[in-house]
Structures are given as structure tokens and as C-alpha cells.
């Protein structure tokens, strides 16, 4: 038996490979990958791929030397501005000009680099097998390889189709300012805001005044449900309707893309619900009495249950998703249950008594005990419902789910009623010997009059006769 190439199950079980802990927020997105993991980052032009990859490179520098190859920007102004804005100045972060694949390999070996970030792989023919071979070579050398690619017009990445199979983590950077894992071998799929992009920095956030309770509730409702208005329209609306400053409005609009998944309130608070937790379809249906397809999308999510920033319903990558196919012309309605993209159950209703509500009821009856895992705090509130969420807050003695209004509540002490001045009464007749001294008369509660049933019947009879006369 060749020990280098073959291991028994017991020998394999004894091996302990520790992943690296990456600084937040990248650790939340990536988990604890191996040091020689292959990470593939892609997205549309201007979405923030380079911003994300540079921030990630600076975080990885905590674990060894990083060679960042700005193959498109070289050492130009845009790169320098980004380095300054992100404060990506770790001692282990180095920038190397692109020359060739051979030169890159020599540099990595010579500098004993731990990681290589190639931004972007378009310098190599993206469709060429060289990108996959470079990723495999880095893995064999124990070097973590991060490659950046552009998206095509049809929303797919440019490059060899084998890249997605070779990489351990695939990250898509969206126009909404989100970095989403499309694939991750080290933890569940997740998404975060692209750090330090156009969003305010931590220093800026301190200067933004907190919202009052009523302002927060209105803003939260718009961020959660308004999908049609543009950012500019919402900024104007927040200023006119809720009295926010332009700075406040812009700050909260920056959270719009990921608000349902992981909002950051201006005042931190404890979450009354422990995460993650599981809840059955039957329990969700009982809490909400689901009647609309849109509501199911909102509660279950798409890419992962209760994890996606927006909820479009069906997705091939979903752990759990519900698909609704209505045929209104023939009055035929189908609800399908998909688990890990595979069709498990199909419910069909027809006619007047059909529709989504009827199909959904049958699905819940059949799969009511199916559990959904809730992973995000504010999605927990959405799934449990505001009433149940508040109930759990009261049980745990948590603070209310909104920033304090800034006005301290003062306990009102009941005011004493002023005693009226005593009236001098002149008694004409002497008081009797056994009579008690006069005291203020007590208010008597007037008893409720008894209902006269006979009179009520006569009155009802007159009303019936009048209505019959009018309608006839």
C-alpha cells in the first residue's frame, strides 16, 4: 500500500485539517476555509469585485504573504485610491505587476507566498484551460488562489466552465452591493454587504443621528417591502414623509439590498430568538394563515431558506423552495415542493375551489412537519410574526425592536384631587341627638336598567314591518 496516495478510513479520520479564521465580515461569508482553497469571485462591471477582492486580500494577509496581481489596473490611480479608502496596508500585502504565467509562478515560489489574488483572469484567455491549471498548481503548492472574473451580458461568468467545479468557494458580487456565495464547501451559503464600497465607514456612522421609534418603523417597512421605487425616490420620500436628513436617508438606503437578511440598526440590541432555529411549515402556516404566493416567497426565501436578500421563490440552488404554476384559463393550479432543486411533491387543484390557497393547504397537510431552518435574525422576526416575536422579547426581558426615541419615560404619579372648600351651612332646625355628623354624600353608581323584552319585541316588529314595506 502506497501511504502517500492511499489511506484507510481510520487513518483519514485521524487527520485534522484546521481552517483559517478570516477577519469579519469575510469570515461570516467564507467560514473557515483551508489555506490552499481556491476562491472564484465574479460579477458585473462596476459591481465592486475589485473592492471586495482587495478587502479580502488584506484580511488574508493576517495568515501569510499575499501577492495581489492588479492585471487590469496595474499601479494606477484607481488602485491607489482603493488601497487608501480601504486602508489595505497590511505588512504582508504586496502588489506585483502581471508579466506571464511562468513569471507569476516563479514569484509565488520565490517569495514563499501564502495567497495569490489575480484580478482579473481576463489577462489569461479566460476560456483557456490555463486558469484551471493555475488553480490546481496553487493548490498543490499549498497556496490559496483567488481569481476574479467579469460577467457576460446574459448574467454568467466569463471563463472556462471548469472553473466552477475546480473552486471551493464561488462568490458573486451584485450591482446591489452584495457578495453572495453561490458555492461553498466549508459552510452554508450566505451573503454580506461589499465592505467599504460606497457604504459609509464606521467613523461616518457615528455622526449619523439615530432615528426615533416612529421613523424607524416607517423606514423599516419601506426597506422591507418597497421594490419599485428607486433609491433617489426613497431618499426624497424619507425626507418628506419621516423628516430624515439627507445623510440619514442615504445611510439607510445603503442597507436596502440586504435589509431583510442582516440589517444593522443604529442602536444595537439583543435578539430574543436564538439562531439558527427550526420551524415547521405547519407552524409557519398557523402563524400567518398564508393565502398569497408572494407571502410564501417572502417567508421561505429563494437561494437558501431565510437567507437570501430578496425572495423570488423557486431556485435550483434552494435547499427548500415552493413553485407555483397557475393556469388561469383552464382554472388549474399547481404547487410544487422542491428540496435541493429536486421535485418532491406536486399538488394540483382545479375549478372554483382551486387556487394557491387550496393547493398550499393540501401541501401543508401532507408536509406540515417539514422543518425550515431560520438563519438570520430579522428573518426570524418575519417568519415568527411580529406578535410572536414581541412575545418572546417580553419573556426574555429584551429591549424593544427599535432604536430608543431619545425621550426618557418618566413615571407619572397620579395627581391628588384638590379638596373642595367646605361650605358653611346654617341649620334652621337643631340636629337630632342620635344623628351622625353630616358627611360628603357618596356617589352612587346608577344601576343598569333592566331590558324590557316585551317593548323590544314590539319595536323589532315595527322595524320589520317598515323594512318589508320599503323593500316591497
Amino acid at each position: 500500500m502506497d501511504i502517500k496516495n492511499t489511506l484507510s478510513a481510520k487513518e483519514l479520520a485521524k487527520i485534522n485539517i484546521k481552517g483559517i479564521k478570516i477577519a469579519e465580515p469575510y469570515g461570516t461569508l467564507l467560514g473557515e476555509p483551508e489555506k490552499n482553497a481556491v476562491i472564484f469571485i465574479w460579477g458585473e462591471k462596476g459591481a465592486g469585485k475589485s473592492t471586495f477582492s482587495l478587502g479580502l486580500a488584506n484580511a488574508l494577509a493576517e495568515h501569510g504573504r499575499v501577492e495581489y496581481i492588479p492585471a487590469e489596473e496595474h499601479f494606477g490611480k484607481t488602485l491607489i485610491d482603493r488601497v487608501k479608502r480601504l486602508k489595505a496596508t497590511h505588512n504582508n500585502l504586496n502588489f506585483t505587476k502581471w508579466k506571464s504565467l511562468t513569471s507569476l509562478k516563479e514569484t509565488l515560489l520565490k517569495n514563499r507566498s501564502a495567497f495569490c489574488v489575480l484580478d482579473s483572469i481576463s489577462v489569461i484567455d479566460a476560456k483557456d484551460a490555463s486558469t484551471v491549471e493555475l488553480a490546481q498548481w496553487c493548490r498543490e503548492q499549498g497556496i490559496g488562489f483567488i481569481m476574479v472574473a467579469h460577467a457576460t451580458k446574459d448574467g454568467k461568468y466569463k471563463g472556462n466552465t471548469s472553473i466552477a467545479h475546480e473552486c471551493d468557494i464561488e462568490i458573486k458580487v451584485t450591482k446591489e452591493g452584495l457578495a453572495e456565495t453561490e458555492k461553498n464547501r466549508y459552510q452554508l451559503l450566505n451573503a454580506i454587504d461589499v465592505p467599504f464600497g460606497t457604504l459609509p465607514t464606521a467613523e461616518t456612522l457615528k455622526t449619523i443621528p439615530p432615528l426615533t421609534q416612529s421613523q424607524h418603523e416607517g423606514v423599516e417597512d419601506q426597506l422591507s417591502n418597497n421594490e419599485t421605487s428607486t433609491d433617489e425616490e426613497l431618499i426624497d420620500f424619507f425626507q418628506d414623509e419621516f423628516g430624515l436628513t439627507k445623510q440619514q436617508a442615504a445611510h439607510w438606503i445603503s442597507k436596502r439590498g440586504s435589509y431583510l437578511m442582516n440589517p444593522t440598526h443604529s442602536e444595537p440590541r439583543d435578539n430574543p430568538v436564538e439562531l439558527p432555529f427550526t420551524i415547521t411549515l405547519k407552524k409557519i402556516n398557523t402563524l400567518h394563515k398564508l393565502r398569497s404566493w408572494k407571502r410564501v416567497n417572502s417567508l421561505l426565501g429563494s437561494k437558501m431558506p431565510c437567507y437570501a436578500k430578496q425572495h423570488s421563490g423557486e431556485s435550483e440552488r434552494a435547499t427548500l423552495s415552493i413553485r407555483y404554476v397557475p393556469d388561469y384559463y383552464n382554472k388549474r393550479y399547481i404547487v410544487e415542493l422542491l428540496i435541493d432543486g429536486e421535485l418532491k411533491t406536486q399538488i394540483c387543484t382545479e375549478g372554483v375551489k382551486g387556487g394557491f390557497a387550496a393547493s398550499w393547504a393540501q401541501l401543508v397537510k401532507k408536509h406540515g412537519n417539514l422543518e425550515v431552518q431560520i438563519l438570520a435574525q430579522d428573518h426570524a422576526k418575519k417568519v415568527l410574526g411580529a406578535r410572536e416575536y414581541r412575545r418572546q422579547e417580553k419573556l426574555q426581558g429584551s429591549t424593544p425592536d427599535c432604536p430608543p426615541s431619545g425621550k426618557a419615560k418618566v413615571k407619572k404619579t397620579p395627581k391628588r384631587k384638590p379638596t373642595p372648600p367646605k361650605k358653611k351651612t346654617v341649620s334652621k332646625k337643631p340636629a337630632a341627638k342620635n344623628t351622625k355628623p353630616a358627611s360628603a354624600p357618596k356617589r352612587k353608581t346608577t344601576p343598569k336598567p333592566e331590558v324590557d323584552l316585551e317593548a323590544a319585541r314590539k319595536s323589532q316588529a315595527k322595524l320589520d314591518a317598515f323594512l318589508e314595506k320599503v323593500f316591497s
Side-chain angles (χ1 to χ4, degrees):
M1 180 180 70
D2 189 353
I3 299 175
K4 292 182 180 180
N5 297 320
T6 307
L7 289 173
S8 68
K10 289 183 178 180
E11 289 172 328
L12 190 65
K14 291 179 181 179
I15 299 175
N16 184 20
I17 301 176
K18 290 185 178 181
I20 56 174
K21 292 184 178 181
I22 307 173
E24 297 299 341
Y26 305 97
T28 299
L29 183 68
L30 304 179
E32 296 185 9
E34 296 175 67
K35 205 169 183 179
N36 65 338
V38 176
I39 301 174
F40 179 49
I41 302 169
W42 67 283
E44 296 179 56
K45 183 179 179 181
K49 302 183 296 296
S50 296
T51 299
F52 178 83
S53 58
L54 180 58
L56 175 59
N58 195 58
L60 290 173
E62 290 286 337
H63 303 277
R65 182 184 174 99
V66 178
E67 299 293 341
Y68 193 98
I69 319 298
E72 293 180 358
E73 296 174 301
H74 306 290
F75 292 170
K77 184 178 184 301
T78 55
L79 175 65
I80 295 169
D81 290 344
R82 192 178 300 120
V83 169
K84 290 178 180 178
R85 188 174 73 249
L86 304 185
K87 297 181 180 179
T89 54
H90 197 284
N91 292 335
N92 284 335
L93 179 58
N94 301 274
F95 295 87
T96 304
K97 287 185 178 181
W98 167 260
K99 291 182 181 178
S100 64
L101 273 175
T102 305
S103 176
L104 175 60
K105 291 179 180 178
E106 289 174 356
T107 301
L108 294 175
L109 293 174
K110 179 183 176 182
N111 295 335
R112 297 182 179 179
S113 303
F115 304 95
C116 172
V117 181
L118 180 57
D119 184 11
S120 71
I121 58 173
S122 59
V123 292
I124 312 171
D125 183 0
K127 294 182 180 179
D128 187 19
S130 301
T131 52
V132 178
E133 291 173 3
L134 177 60
Q136 292 171 342
W137 180 85
C138 287
R139 194 193 295 276
E140 290 170 2
Q141 301 298 324
I143 300 170
F145 183 51
I146 298 91
M147 49 183 163
V148 184
H150 299 295
T152 58
K153 291 181 180 179
D154 57 355
K156 298 179 180 179
Y157 59 83
K158 286 183 180 179
N160 193 321
T161 53
S162 300
I163 292 174
H165 300 289
E166 181 62 32
C167 71
D168 301 300
I169 302 173
E170 179 185 345
I171 301 169
K172 181 182 179 182
V173 181
T174 69
K175 280 280 190 179
E176 290 78 21
L178 280 182
E180 305 174 327
T181 47
E182 303 276 301
K183 171 186 176 182
N184 195 338
R185 289 175 176 163
Y186 302 103
Q187 72 162 19
L188 294 171
L189 302 185
N190 200 351
I192 62 169
D193 290 322
V194 175
F196 316 115
T198 56
L199 303 179
T201 62
E203 295 175 359
T204 309
L205 292 179
K206 294 177 182 177
T207 64
I208 297 175
L211 306 185
T212 64
Q213 180 175 347
S214 59
Q215 285 175 330
H216 183 271
E217 289 173 354
V219 168
E220 185 182 48
D221 179 63
Q222 290 294 322
L223 293 177
S224 301
N225 302 305
N226 191 334
E227 298 177 359
T228 57
S229 300
T230 63
D231 289 353
E232 291 74 18
E233 289 172 343
L234 268 184
I235 288 175
D236 293 338
F237 181 78
F238 286 171
Q239 290 178 273
D240 298 338
E241 188 71 17
F242 305 129
L244 271 64
T245 64
K246 192 170 184 178
Q247 186 188 27
Q248 285 177 315
H251 163 61
W252 284 92
I253 287 295
S254 69
K255 301 175 182 297
R256 187 180 185 183
S258 61
Y259 190 79
L260 283 177
M261 192 199 71
N262 187 22
T264 304
H265 298 283
S266 55
E267 294 285 341
R269 63 181 181 84
D270 294 329
N271 182 30
V273 184
E274 292 184 5
L275 297 173
F277 76 93
T278 54
I279 188 170
T280 63
L281 283 181
K282 187 175 182 180
K283 180 66 174 175
I284 292 176
N285 188 62
T286 304
L287 287 170
H288 295 280
K289 297 181 180 178
L290 295 171
R291 295 292 180 270
S292 73
W293 170 225
K294 185 177 180 181
R295 186 63 173 162
V296 172
N297 293 350
S298 178
L299 295 176
L300 298 185
S302 57
K303 294 181 182 177
M304 286 284 292
C306 311
Y307 229 111
K309 66 179 184 67
Q310 293 175 340
H311 308 283
S312 57
E314 173 206 356
S315 170
E316 292 180 359
R317 294 182 299 274
T319 298
L320 169 68
S321 59
I322 310 294
R323 181 162 55 195
Y324 181 46
V325 186
D327 182 358
Y328 296 108
Y329 182 78
N330 295 311
K331 294 184 178 180
R332 193 165 182 267
Y333 315 93
I334 300 172
V335 167
E336 296 174 330
L337 170 68
L338 295 91
I339 298 177
D340 293 326
E342 183 181 346
L343 180 64
K344 294 294 182 182
T345 301
Q346 189 178 73
I347 304 292
C348 179
T349 58
E350 296 178 316
V352 180
K353 294 183 179 180
F356 173 74
S359 304
W360 171 257
Q362 289 189 28
L363 183 69
V364 172
K365 187 177 180 180
K366 187 172 183 179
H367 293 284
N369 293 327
L370 185 66
E371 291 186 334
V372 181
Q373 190 175 34
I374 310 302
L375 304 166
Q377 173 176 330
D378 279 75
H379 216 103
K381 179 181 178 182
K382 198 174 188 71
V383 171
L384 288 174
R387 183 179 297 176
E388 174 66 17
Y389 198 81
R390 284 197 299 269
R391 189 184 73 83
Q392 294 204 27
E393 276 188 326
K394 289 179 180 178
L395 288 175
Q396 297 188 18
S398 300
T399 53
D401 181 22
C402 60
S405 60
K407 296 178 181 179
K409 291 185 178 180
V410 182
K411 291 184 178 180
K412 294 182 179 180
T413 54
K415 295 180 179 179
R416 292 183 180 179
K417 293 182 180 179
T419 54
K422 294 181 179 179
K423 293 182 180 180
K424 293 182 180 179
T425 55
V426 180
S427 58
K428 294 181 179 179
K429 294 181 181 180
K433 291 181 180 179
N434 297 330
T435 56
K436 295 181 180 178
S439 59
K442 295 181 179 179
R443 291 185 179 179
K444 295 182 179 179
T445 54
T446 54
K448 293 181 180 179
E450 295 182 2
V451 178
D452 189 344
L453 295 177
E454 188 63 29
R457 290 191 189 98
K458 289 180 181 180
S459 178
Q460 184 64 43
K462 286 182 180 180
L463 179 61
D464 292 341
F466 172 76
L467 292 174
E468 186 178 352
K469 184 178 178 181
V470 171
F471 287 116
S472 65

